Amino acid sequence: MADLVTVRLKVNGVEREGRCEPRKLLVDFLREDLGLTGTHVGCEHGICGACTILLDGQAARSCIMLAVQADGAELMTVEGLAQDGKLHPLQEAFREHHGLQCGFCTPGMLMTSLDLLRTNPTPTDEEIREGISAVLCRCTGYQGIVNAVRAAARTPGGSR
Ligand code: FES
Ligand code: FES
């Protein structure tokens, strides 16, 4: 077994640290070492987007990064969306507009949508489709997701 390295980062506003092998993927570090299992693992090679998080404010696939590469970074995962027991407007909109079925893609879809709304707070439907095209959903047919992101964009705090 390789020597363990220390990884320190800020996740959802909290300083965290763990020790892992240098080859450990960031998504596995989040799930296994930090207990943040909201970020899902799908394809494990950068295609499906289920593992998407915000890394220093930008959407990134945590399955094609090593944990050591995120040392010193600021991350936001799906667990950081709800605050004070209240769902984030995007989460509310996904629930309201049937933006999920099995929920497997949902963490990545939510973080990708948040990145989109922070970059473009008033996207057209075409821009929403383009924005979420980096995440694959096998269930919804996408219309519910587009409806949800559009609704969140019109809600105060939708991109907080
Ligand atoms: S699990 Fe990372 S892109 Fe599919
Ligand atoms: S809700 Fe099932 S994969 Fe998207």
Side-chain angles (χ1 to χ4, degrees):
M1 187 163 127
D3 288 344
L4 300 183
V5 292
T6 300
V7 177
R8 293 188 184 89
L9 30 68
K10 194 183 258 191
V11 188
N12 303 327
V14 179
E15 300 285 355
R16 302 289 305 266
E17 94 170 46
R19 286 178 60 72
C20 65
E21 287 192 43
R23 64 175 183 165
K24 189 155 202 172
L25 295 174
L26 178 57
V27 68
D28 293 332
F29 180 76
L30 289 170
R31 292 174 55 86
E32 296 167 9
D33 296 65
L34 302 187
L36 296 169
T37 54
T39 302
H40 288 170
V41 190
C43 66
E44 278 188 290
H45 55 263
I47 304 296
C48 74
C51 65
T52 304
I53 57 160
L54 298 191
L55 176 80
D56 291 329
Q58 290 196 322
R61 278 145 156 61
S62 57
C63 76
I64 51 171
M65 276 189 70
L66 299 173
V68 289
Q69 291 177 292
D71 188 45
E74 193 158 334
L75 271 55
M76 183 175 178
T77 66
V78 71
E79 288 93 344
L81 284 175
Q83 282 182 11
D84 302 324
K86 261 194 84 178
L87 292 179
H88 186 282
L90 263 170
Q91 292 172 304
E92 285 288 5
F94 269 61
R95 181 166 71 176
E96 179 81 8
H97 295 274
H98 310 292
L100 66 149
Q101 287 180 37
C102 79
F104 196 81
C105 72
T106 309
M109 201 60 94
L110 285 167
M111 301 317 287
T112 300
S113 301
L114 182 61
D115 184 44
L116 167 69
L117 293 186
R118 285 182 173 178
T119 314
N120 177 4
T122 54
T124 63
D125 279 13
E126 200 179 323
E127 288 168 336
I128 294 172
R129 288 182 184 281
E130 173 73 24
I132 63 168
S133 64
V135 187
L136 303 180
C137 176
R138 289 190 292 182
C139 301
T140 70
Y142 298 98
Q143 190 57 48
I145 296 171
V146 173
N147 293 345
V149 177
R150 188 194 314 113
R154 293 173 182 163
T155 305
S159 57
R160 71 159 161 78

